[in-house]
Amino acid sequence: MRVLLAEDDADLSRQLKSALVDAGYAVDHAADGEEAHFLGDTEPYDVIVLDLGLPKIDGVSVLERWRRDGKATPVLILTARGAWSDKVSGFDAGADDYLTKPFHTEELLARIRALLRRSAGHASAVLTCGALRLDPRAARASVDGEPLRLTSLEYRLLHYLMMHQGRVISRTELVEHLYEQDFDRDSNTIEVFVGRLRKKIGSDRIQTVRGLGYRLSALPGEAEG
Ligand code: CA
């Protein structure tokens, strides 16, 4: 899953970015409203964290533009303490959730998980697909109760596939949701990662749909998540 972090405070940005990366997300950072708007407009993020007090273009205006252009990405706004009217204008502009500064990083991570869950239509915090289980709170996955040892990219891949299980996902879509913007993105490497993941979770769980992409589903006889 890929996150856009739009925040102009350098220290806070660094801290949040590293917490998000540790939690298993691909993260792009924008330090002003112009860059935030551009990235949100051109890249398919799964969730956006948007500070309202941004240089160049303020956060509310950025959000209004995205929504006017039909971008439905879940957006969590960061507001200054006591600025209740910011929250109102943020929600009116199309925000899905908010946090007031200062906040605990754990709370931000929990809210992001909730937004992702809701936008993908999942009810519970833990994702399951047959004997496969992925817990975004701990960034861990298991098969039949056996913990999986996944690299961060394998984890991102499995997380995305589990969020969208049962649906055919193209290699392009995977590339767009697994890598940061400045990463040398090559859709051929996805095949390699899918191959490695198959070895770890059982090769039949990810089907190749020729010419279209990949689909994760439960094995026959297993319960769907
Ligand atoms: Ca700010």
Side-chain angles (χ1 to χ4, degrees):
M1 311 300 276
R2 193 164 162 212
V3 179
L4 172 62
L5 171 65
E7 167 62 60
D8 59 318
D9 182 309
D11 286 340
L12 182 60
S13 299
R14 245 192 315 275
Q15 180 202 325
L16 294 180
K17 183 168 177 173
S18 94
L20 286 162
V21 169
D22 287 348
Y25 301 104
V27 186
D28 290 337
H29 173 244
D32 64 61
E34 219 167 76
E35 194 186 4
H37 177 259
F38 173 76
L39 285 174
D41 204 32
T42 50
E43 300 286 336
Y45 294 102
D46 295 296
V47 69
I48 296 174
V49 177
L50 177 68
D51 179 33
L52 291 190
L54 286 176
K56 295 193 185 170
I57 311 174
D58 69 275
V60 169
S61 306
V62 170
L63 182 52
E64 277 171 351
R65 290 187 197 183
W66 285 332
R67 295 306 190 223
R68 208 166 42 221
D69 294 340
K71 297 264 164 208
T73 314
V75 172
L76 182 150
I77 52 171
L78 303 177
T79 68
R81 182 165 33 182
W84 65 268
S85 58
D86 279 1
K87 289 171 205 156
V88 174
S89 31
F91 278 116
D92 283 342
D96 300 277
D97 198 1
Y98 77 91
L99 262 178
T100 304
K101 290 178 182 177
F103 52 84
H104 290 283
T105 308
E106 278 308 314
E107 186 176 356
L108 176 70
L109 295 174
R111 288 179 182 275
I112 288 174
R113 288 193 296 269
L115 284 173
L116 289 171
R117 203 156 69 214
R118 257 179 268 149
S119 69
H122 294 285
S124 78
V126 176
L127 297 167
T128 57
C129 178
L132 259 179
R133 194 173 183 277
L134 184 142
D135 187 349
R137 293 168 299 187
R140 290 201 193 291
S142 60
V143 181
D144 281 324
E146 284 293 313
L148 290 167
R149 286 167 168 265
L150 303 175
T151 65
S152 59
L153 264 165
E154 288 164 0
Y155 174 82
R156 284 183 203 168
L157 173 62
L158 184 60
H159 193 186
Y160 195 82
L161 290 172
M162 285 192 79
M163 278 294 223
H164 302 282
Q165 57 186 273
R167 177 161 81 73
V168 179
I169 298 167
S170 71
R171 278 195 282 179
T172 312
E173 181 176 343
L174 286 172
V175 166
E176 285 176 339
H177 289 269
L178 302 191
Y179 296 120
E180 284 99 20
Q181 185 209 13
D182 44 11
F183 195 87
D184 177 24
R185 294 191 244 166
D186 175 0
S187 70
N188 289 320
T189 59
I190 288 292
E191 219 168 280
V192 176
F193 284 118
V194 169
R196 286 186 197 151
L197 189 58
R198 275 184 174 136
K199 283 202 185 105
K200 296 185 181 180
I201 67 169
S203 55
D204 295 342
R205 295 183 190 277
I206 304 174
Q207 296 106 43
T208 301
V209 183
R210 201 165 288 280
L212 293 176
Y214 302 102
R215 179 174 49 218
L216 177 82
S217 45
L219 300 179
E222 283 184 343
E224 296 280 343

